[in-house]
Amino acid sequence: MIQVRNLSYTYPGSSVQVLKDLSFDIQSGEIFGFLGPSGAGKSTTQKVLNGLLKGYDGSVTVNGTDLQKMDRSFYEDIGVAFEFPNLYLKLSALENLHLFASFFNTPTRDPEELLAMVGLSEDRDTLVSAFSKGMKMRLNFVRALLNNPKVLFLDEPTAGLDPANARKMKDIILDLQKEGTTIFLTTHHMDDAGELCER
Ligand code: ADP
């Protein structure tokens, strides 16, 4: 599902090569844990895999698309939840999901069902500006599920969550894998990595 061959990357204007000859494969339906100390290049790698950074050396294929030749249709089948939620603060939880759903050409999941999945049904009409960090994290997570992505990129999905909600999140991740989703998980939490990841 993901093939990375001899990936090297240097940020424009920088003399430091951040990624050096990186190669790995991720099979369909696998939960792959991407671990490493701060500054190792995890976010940079994820940005390349998401099609956000161009100008790399090597080859990167995600869901059958060579990212040097990608177009916007690539985003119909991938989901991304960054560590820092990017949501519209002046819209409610439900309005955020409806807005993001409108960006897709493919059928999307029912926003109310997604809110229920992470315990936010009662907060559906609350403005996101009034949400706690954990509530934003949960909304940001289900936002990434709107398009039923074949590949899901998660960056620290349990950061800022209480133990009960962290458990709920991990159960959802395991369920998604059972349904066949390929998951690229970036984390510092070794417990999460040990429990969720196959490699
Ligand atoms: P990680 O996610 O593993 O903490 P990053 O991919 O964020 O690592 O960073 C890897 C290296 O790339 C660091 O040395 C960082 O300073 C550098 N870097 C990150 N973003 C930029 C940028 N936009 N321009 C130049 N250097 C960057």
Side-chain angles (χ1 to χ4, degrees):
M1 184 53 95
I2 297 178
Q3 280 126 21
V4 175
R5 290 285 176 278
N6 309 108
L7 171 63
S8 297
Y9 185 76
T10 304
Y11 281 97
S14 167
S15 56
V16 183
Q17 193 180 37
V18 175
L19 304 179
K20 297 177 192 126
D21 212 21
L22 183 64
S23 297
F24 59 89
D25 289 289
I26 303 178
Q27 306 306 320
S28 186
E30 185 173 22
I31 304 184
F32 183 85
F34 196 49
L35 314 178
S38 284
K42 299 185 298 299
S43 302
T44 304
T45 305
Q46 187 170 322
K47 283 180 192 154
V48 172
L49 297 181
N50 294 167
L52 299 175
L53 287 181
K54 314 282 187 194
Y56 56 82
D57 290 321
S59 80
V60 180
T61 305
V62 177
N63 190 31
T65 300
D66 175 347
L67 293 193
Q68 296 283 21
K69 298 175 192 146
M70 64 164 281
D71 58 28
R72 289 172 59 96
S73 65
F74 172 68
Y75 293 107
E76 295 289 333
D77 287 318
I78 71 162
V80 180
F82 287 119
E83 182 179 0
F84 299 104
N86 45 344
L87 299 159
Y88 289 94
L89 301 179
K90 291 183 180 172
L91 298 181
S92 71
L94 192 58
E95 286 168 339
N96 264 276
L97 293 185
H98 278 299
L99 177 65
F100 283 104
S102 74
F103 296 165
F104 294 102
N105 294 319
T106 45
T108 47
R109 293 180 69 164
D110 176 6
E112 305 218 22
E113 177 214 329
L114 290 172
L115 291 173
M117 194 193 276
V118 290
L120 288 175
S121 293
E122 286 182 10
D123 304 290
R124 48 173 266 172
D125 297 321
T126 304
L127 297 191
V128 172
S129 56
F131 271 24
S132 68
K133 175 159 193 273
M135 291 163 80
K136 286 181 191 156
M137 286 296 293
R138 286 184 275 151
L139 180 59
N140 191 55
F141 175 74
V142 290
R143 194 204 64 176
L145 306 183
L146 273 168
N147 56 326
N148 275 309
K150 293 191 180 120
V151 188
L152 180 61
F153 293 90
L154 299 174
D155 194 350
E156 298 290 0
T158 62
L161 297 184
D162 61 71
N165 277 308
R167 178 70 265 154
K168 195 180 287 177
M169 198 70 90
K170 287 189 273 188
D171 288 340
I172 296 170
I173 292 169
L174 290 167
D175 284 345
L176 287 166
Q177 184 207 16
K178 282 191 204 119
E179 291 161 15
T181 311
T182 306
I183 298 166
F184 185 91
L185 175 70
T186 302
T187 184
H188 287 301
H189 291 270
M190 296 310 290
D191 290 345
D192 285 3
E195 181 186 341
L196 297 172
C197 301
E198 295 165 299
R199 281 195 298 138

